[in-house]
């Protein structure tokens, strides 16, 4: 049975190849079915880390492709001055606005928070009407929505009426149900553990 | 009771300020307790979107701060050529390696996958020993770990022995328990919904 033994000798690789082949066929079928070409709305929500940084990662992707991008930060400091410096190397492609004040517990001034959110939304709405923008990042918009500083129906209407190929990424905890419903891709970032709770300061590059 | 009515008139703002003040005190106490300054290990896992893009967002943050960064992509194509072009604008700060082959169902060649993962790990290990690197992104390392192409104990040992101030971000679904245990911050990206399932092609800037 030497032939059988030889076959046994390569069984693992063969099984590997067969499994990989089946998986490839499955995925190829799915890719073949995914034929729609249009802008998508992506929502990153939940209490975990990575909502904003994933949005800025997609911004990096988009800039890498030479897409024209707009960014509005609804909370100042959610993505730090570090990134502003970073994206300044892409002045040719990105329209970058840090509009909001700090988090509400920092400002402690409701009127000022509302005024800042309204001004940020005015800029954001202009971007959602601009056919020259391929990618729009509305960082921490969900916070302004849950606080009621920006009207959800206005956002839903602007998303529905935006240029067909424009991508929009919206971040922040507590995404409203109707926004989740309207979005194409929604991820919940769930905390498994966080360094801050173990007494580690916020670190440059990671949180700041 | 006109004085009372006046007080009622500003009640909402006052309550807002009081709540914000209490929250600020709580958060300030937490910040005061978080005094440890050291490099952290961040793990992004789960089946949802945003694991790699969040890692690249943190890379953007780090570059914005002028930190010296290393990147190893264990799966070619997990973050596309678009980003490579993007990060080429930061040749002065980033050491960027796309080492892996495609996903296993694309290569269908176990030996080649193992060889590629081993070569990628050799570069990654060198980065974890390099005190000049402030930030290291090991994109899709978890895939290589769960497949057994890279030895978990080697990774844990290299993380434990790395320069004290070096940050490491590891992405990929299926993070091994011992890696979660060793990490400082772990997020599970959970799928709520995905455009691909609705027949929408992978889009430049979003997935590609």
């Amino acid at each position: 049975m030497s032939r059988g033994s030889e076959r046994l000798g390569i069984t693992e690789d063969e099984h590997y190849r067969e499994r990989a082949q089946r998986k490839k066929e499955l995925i190829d079928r799915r890719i073949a079915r995914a034929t729609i070409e249009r802008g998508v709305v992506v929502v990153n929500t939940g209490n975990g880390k990575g909502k904003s940084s994933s949005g800025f990662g997609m911004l990096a992707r988009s800039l890498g492709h030479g897409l024209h991008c707009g960014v509005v930060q609804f909370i100042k400091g959610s993505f730090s001055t570090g990134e502003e410096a970073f994206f300044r190397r892409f002045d040719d492609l990105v329209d970058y606005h840090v509009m909001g004040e700090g988090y509400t517990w920092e400002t402690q001034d409701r009127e000022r928070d509302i005024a800042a959110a309204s001004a940020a939304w005015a800029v954001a709405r202009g971007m959602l009407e601009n056919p020259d923008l391929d990618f729009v990042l509305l960082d921490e918009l969900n916070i302004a929505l849950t606080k009621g500083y920006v009207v959800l129906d206005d956002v839903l209407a602007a998303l529905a009426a935006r240029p067909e190929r424009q991508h929009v990424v919206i971040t922040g905890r507590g995404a409203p149900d109707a926004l989740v419903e309207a979005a194409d891709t929604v991820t919940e970032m769930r905390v498994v553990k966080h360094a801050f709770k173990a007494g580690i300061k916020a670190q440059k590059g990671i949180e700041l």
Side-chain angles (χ1 to χ4, degrees), chain A:
Chain A
M1 302 273 282
S2 69
R3 190 146 174 274
S5 301
E6 261 174 14
R7 288 190 60 83
L8 274 173
I10 55 165
T11 282
E12 199 181 358
D13 281 351
E14 279 195 345
H15 276 181
Y16 184 90
R17 202 177 308 261
E18 278 167 24
R19 276 198 313 271
Q21 180 59 29
R22 278 198 303 274
K23 183 150 191 184
K24 181 168 166 45
E25 284 164 10
L26 180 74
I27 288 171
D28 284 349
R29 275 199 302 275
R30 280 195 201 150
I31 290 172
R33 272 202 303 266
T35 53
I36 304 166
E37 283 272 12
R38 67 165 172 80
V40 291
V41 175
V42 176
V43 172
N44 294 340
T45 193
N47 298 328
K49 195 174 157 42
K51 300 181 289 292
S52 288
S53 52
S54 166
F56 282 91
M58 284 185 264
L59 173 64
R61 266 194 183 121
S62 299
L63 293 171
H65 285 295
L67 301 182
H68 289 92
C69 300
V71 179
V72 177
Q73 286 190 248
F74 280 76
I75 304 278
K76 188 161 67 182
S78 79
F79 216 63
S80 79
T81 48
E83 292 74 47
E84 289 181 67
F86 177 71
F87 289 110
R88 237 173 268 139
R89 293 208 193 184
F90 295 88
D91 270 352
D92 51 328
L93 289 174
V94 70
D95 185 19
Y96 198 106
H97 294 260
V98 182
M99 301 289 297
E101 300 287 342
Y103 286 96
T104 52
W105 59 84
E106 288 161 348
T107 61
Q108 303 185 40
D109 185 332
R110 193 161 179 266
E111 290 307 317
R112 206 172 111 197
D113 289 346
I114 292 172
S118 300
W121 171 241
V123 173
R125 194 176 43 206
M127 289 180 176
L128 297 176
E129 289 168 355
N130 183 349
D132 296 332
L133 286 179
D134 307 300
F135 177 99
V136 176
L137 171 58
L138 305 179
D139 185 50
E140 299 284 13
L141 171 58
N142 289 337
I143 306 278
L145 286 171
T146 52
K147 294 271 173 194
Y149 298 165
V150 172
V151 179
L152 178 59
D153 283 346
D154 292 351
V155 173
L156 296 175
L159 288 174
R162 79 189 195 284
E164 197 191 334
R165 302 296 293 262
Q166 189 184 72
H167 302 304
V168 183
V169 178
I170 295 171
T171 76
R173 55 179 72 192
D177 290 346
L179 179 62
V180 168
E181 184 63 34
D184 299 293
T185 296
V186 180
T187 307
E188 180 200 346
M189 275 66 174
R190 202 176 68 79
V191 187
V192 178
K193 64 201 287 193
H194 201 296
F196 186 56
K197 292 223 169 126
I200 298 171
K201 277 181 84 162
Q203 298 292 310
K204 273 188 188 176
I206 303 298
E207 282 91 14
L208 302 176

